[in-house]
mmCIF file of all heavy atoms in Angstrom:
data_model
loop_
_atom_site.group_PDB
_atom_site.id
_atom_site.type_symbol
_atom_site.label_atom_id
_atom_site.label_comp_id
_atom_site.label_asym_id
_atom_site.label_seq_id
_atom_site.Cartn_x
_atom_site.Cartn_y
_atom_site.Cartn_z
ATOM 1 N N GLY A 28 21.237 -12.490 57.023
ATOM 2 C CA GLY A 28 20.433 -13.035 58.107
ATOM 3 C C GLY A 28 19.137 -12.292 58.351
ATOM 4 O O GLY A 28 18.342 -12.701 59.184
ATOM 5 N N PRO A 50 19.428 -3.808 17.024
ATOM 6 C CA PRO A 50 20.798 -3.857 17.554
ATOM 7 C C PRO A 50 21.860 -3.414 16.552
ATOM 8 O O PRO A 50 22.841 -2.789 16.940
ATOM 9 C CB PRO A 50 20.999 -5.315 17.931
ATOM 10 C CG PRO A 50 19.667 -5.948 17.912
ATOM 11 C CD PRO A 50 18.777 -5.101 17.065
ATOM 12 N N CYS A 55 16.187 2.258 19.144
ATOM 13 C CA CYS A 55 15.002 1.599 19.677
ATOM 14 C C CYS A 55 13.789 2.491 19.462
ATOM 15 O O CYS A 55 13.915 3.661 19.103
ATOM 16 C CB CYS A 55 15.185 1.271 21.146
ATOM 17 S SG CYS A 55 15.378 2.690 22.213
ATOM 18 N N GLY A 67 -2.874 -1.237 19.438
ATOM 19 C CA GLY A 67 -1.578 -0.837 19.977
ATOM 20 C C GLY A 67 -0.433 -1.342 19.117
ATOM 21 O O GLY A 67 0.553 -0.626 18.878
ATOM 22 N N MET A 68 -0.568 -2.565 18.618
ATOM 23 C CA MET A 68 0.462 -3.127 17.747
ATOM 24 C C MET A 68 0.555 -2.345 16.443
ATOM 25 O O MET A 68 1.654 -2.067 15.950
ATOM 26 C CB MET A 68 0.153 -4.604 17.474
ATOM 27 C CG MET A 68 1.228 -5.321 16.724
ATOM 28 S SD MET A 68 2.729 -5.435 17.697
ATOM 29 C CE MET A 68 3.771 -6.304 16.554
ATOM 30 N N HIS A 71 2.414 0.815 17.112
ATOM 31 C CA HIS A 71 3.840 0.567 17.312
ATOM 32 C C HIS A 71 4.537 0.259 15.988
ATOM 33 O O HIS A 71 5.647 0.738 15.736
ATOM 34 C CB HIS A 71 4.054 -0.563 18.318
ATOM 35 C CG HIS A 71 5.447 -0.630 18.812
ATOM 36 N ND1 HIS A 71 6.114 -1.817 18.969
ATOM 37 C CD2 HIS A 71 6.331 0.334 19.172
ATOM 38 C CE1 HIS A 71 7.340 -1.573 19.408
ATOM 39 N NE2 HIS A 71 7.485 -0.271 19.537
ATOM 40 N N HIS A 95 -0.153 -9.834 17.552
ATOM 41 C CA HIS A 95 0.996 -9.689 16.651
ATOM 42 C C HIS A 95 0.663 -10.149 15.237
ATOM 43 O O HIS A 95 1.487 -10.041 14.344
ATOM 44 C CB HIS A 95 2.202 -10.473 17.167
ATOM 45 C CG HIS A 95 2.794 -9.884 18.397
ATOM 46 N ND1 HIS A 95 3.713 -10.539 19.159
ATOM 47 C CD2 HIS A 95 2.600 -8.699 19.018
ATOM 48 C CE1 HIS A 95 4.061 -9.785 20.188
ATOM 49 N NE2 HIS A 95 3.384 -8.668 20.123
ATOM 50 N N LEU A 129 16.247 -1.912 37.201
ATOM 51 C CA LEU A 129 16.808 -0.591 37.492
ATOM 52 C C LEU A 129 15.770 0.477 37.810
ATOM 53 O O LEU A 129 16.054 1.383 38.591
ATOM 54 C CB LEU A 129 17.667 -0.122 36.318
ATOM 55 C CG LEU A 129 19.156 -0.427 36.458
ATOM 56 C CD1 LEU A 129 19.436 -1.886 36.459
ATOM 57 C CD2 LEU A 129 19.932 0.312 35.430
ATOM 58 N N ALA A 145 6.660 6.834 34.893
ATOM 59 C CA ALA A 145 7.784 5.958 35.230
ATOM 60 C C ALA A 145 8.215 5.129 34.022
ATOM 61 O O ALA A 145 9.410 4.948 33.777
ATOM 62 C CB ALA A 145 7.412 5.049 36.398
#
Side-chain angles (χ1 to χ4, degrees):
C55 64
M68 187 66 180
H71 194 222
H95 290 168
L129 265 65

